[in-house]
Amino acid sequence: MTDMTLFEPYALGPLTLPNRIVMAPLTRNRAGSGLVPGELAAAYYAQRTSAGLLITEATQVSAQAQGYQDTPGLYTQAQIAGWRKVTDAVHAKGGRIFVQLWHVGRVSHVDLQPEGAAPVAPSAIRAATKTFVNNGFSTVSEPRALELDELPGIVNDFRQAAANAIAAGFDGVEIHGANGYLLEQFIKDGANQRSDAYGGSVENRARLLLEVAAAVAQEIGAERIGVRISPVSPANGISCSDPQPQYNYIAERLNALGIVYLHVVEGATGGPRDVAPFDFDALRTRFEGTYLANNGYDLDLATARLNMGKADLFAFGRAFIGNPDLVERLKTGAPLAQFNPATLYGGGAQGYTDYPTLAEAATE
Ligand code: 8OZ
């Protein structure tokens, strides 16, 4: 055992993070009209800037990529301008911020799709999950299978959104390859029954994710790209018969592309870490860049795993909601505030930007 702490600087590609604590992407459903993030989002992220790195909420790369009400996009000029307010506010406080780029695939509803179209997926298999739409939870719609000649357009949407991210002032992007959304729907055979070059073998199912990563790397540079994966998570009704060889291959190929970090949801997203047997060390070994560990970490577990050499950075999600000064609280052993689940998704400032820091709470 060496004696490292989370509170020491870490070099992530061209960036120097002041600590190893990363704010995980958190969906908050507060984008305004035009799905544009505004002043409120700028205030929210700026309050949490002491994180070594902020990763934004999942942000759709196109209108078709949306699956929940009021989630922000990054495909219009107004959205680029809205995100610019966020990145300026974070940078003014000395922070660093990546945007998570997202296509939901089949986890959507016709009421969220352009012209009421069916959501798209690798295969026409409806997900056993719900989405938030029309101010309530509804079963997702029946998807249609993407045609082979539509896939370059999806890759291009990610590439363009990455270019837009740089125009909006982001330090980099995270490609959302996890939690049952489009890229994972291709990876996992429970959702992918294609018989073309994007289905069947381990290589074929990884193809779309790897094409997206390569296109985004060509556009903005691999040192500004992270990829998030969740090998054994059943999130959004997904399943995979062979996660170990599938993700060993993905880790190797992403390593060859030189992306800066691999963000790994270890277990069921937001749930048990031991949901299914999986050797995460095999990914750690294959991927020589930064390993960002996620799921159920607290200070003790993160510190222990750091000192075992199992990960470089650690994502904290829900703890950041009620604790804008989470880094300071972890460092000083201060108690953590709980957040109000009723204000997690949607609404305004309440339960978003009004959680006090320790210092603010002391003067209230
Ligand atoms: C919670 C609610 C809606 C979406 C994910 C983007 O699971 C999400 C998400 C989380 O990755």
Side-chain angles (χ1 to χ4, degrees):
M1 284 274 286
T2 49
D3 193 19
M4 293 189 284
T5 80
L6 299 185
F7 307 102
E8 284 153 26
Y10 180 81
L12 182 70
L15 301 177
T16 303
L17 316 188
N19 58 67
R20 293 173 185 263
I21 297 170
V22 175
M23 179 170 158
L26 294 162
T27 289
R28 304 303 307 273
N29 307 76
R30 282 166 166 86
S33 90
L35 306 175
V36 174
E39 303 291 349
L40 208 53
Y44 164 76
Y45 286 109
Q47 286 171 344
R48 288 157 180 78
T49 289
S50 58
L53 178 69
L54 298 166
I55 306 172
T56 72
E57 65 214 88
T59 298
Q60 54 266 8
V61 297
S62 66
Q64 181 197 71
Q66 186 183 356
Y68 301 80
Q69 134 183 0
D70 300 327
T71 54
L74 192 41
Y75 54 91
T76 70
Q77 288 304 317
Q79 290 162 349
I80 295 172
W83 280 117
R84 171 56 80 172
K85 291 182 192 161
V86 175
T87 63
D88 281 350
V90 168
H91 290 146
K93 289 186 71 180
R96 298 135 303 276
I97 184 165
F98 276 36
V99 59
Q100 193 193 47
L101 299 180
W102 192 33
H103 192 310
V104 298
R106 67 181 186 167
V107 184
S108 188
H109 190 280
V110 289
D111 289 352
L112 292 164
Q113 288 291 308
E115 289 149 38
V120 298
S123 302
I125 307 168
R126 194 195 290 235
T129 192
K130 293 193 171 192
T131 183
F132 191 73
V133 56
N134 303 323
N135 297 316
F137 286 94
S138 294
T139 302
V140 297
S141 301
E142 182 78 26
R144 72 169 177 86
L146 281 159
E147 302 290 340
L148 191 58
D149 66 6
E150 291 180 279
L151 299 182
I154 303 269
V155 174
N156 196 53
D157 288 342
F158 275 93
R159 187 196 58 72
Q160 182 62 54
N164 296 347
I166 299 307
F170 282 105
D171 297 298
V173 308
E174 174 173 293
I175 296 166
H176 196 343
N179 295 350
Y181 299 112
L182 183 70
L183 298 175
E184 195 182 78
Q185 289 158 29
F186 273 83
I187 292 168
K188 294 189 172 178
D189 55 3
N192 182 347
Q193 296 183 354
R194 299 178 75 95
S195 52
D196 60 14
Y198 292 83
S201 65
V202 156
E203 292 80 5
N204 283 357
R205 281 180 279 133
R207 192 176 307 282
L208 188 62
L209 170 71
L210 296 174
E211 287 182 353
V212 165
V216 172
Q218 199 177 34
E219 185 70 34
I220 69 168
E223 72 285 0
R224 294 204 271 191
I225 302 174
V227 172
R228 191 184 210 203
I229 55 173
S230 53
V232 291
S233 183
N236 287 307
I238 202 132
S239 62
C240 187
S241 65
D242 58 351
Q244 195 76 57
Q246 178 67 77
Y247 283 90
N248 287 353
Y249 173 75
I250 287 171
E252 280 164 18
R253 300 309 306 160
L254 291 175
N255 188 56
L257 282 173
I259 65 153
V260 75
Y261 73 73
L262 190 61
H263 183 176
V264 185
V265 181
E266 297 167 342
T269 310
R273 290 178 54 80
D274 59 354
V275 63
F278 190 85
D279 179 9
F280 289 100
D281 287 351
L283 306 186
R284 169 74 166 156
T285 309
R286 284 170 171 78
F287 186 73
E288 295 163 283
T290 296
Y291 184 102
L292 167 54
N294 183 299
N295 214 30
Y297 279 91
D298 60 14
L299 181 63
D300 288 348
L301 182 60
T303 304
R305 301 286 292 173
L306 174 66
N307 281 296
M308 289 165 75
K310 300 297 187 190
D312 305 298
L313 299 176
F314 298 87
F316 288 73
R318 285 167 290 193
F320 262 112
I321 295 174
N323 300 280
D325 54 347
L326 180 66
V327 172
E328 188 62 22
R329 291 193 198 215
L330 292 176
K331 199 171 179 176
T332 60
L336 300 188
Q338 298 301 311
F339 70 90
N340 178 5
T343 50
L344 187 53
Y345 302 125
Q350 197 195 349
Y352 190 49
T353 52
D354 61 355
Y355 290 106
T357 63
L358 269 182
E360 286 162 354
T363 59
E364 265 173 9

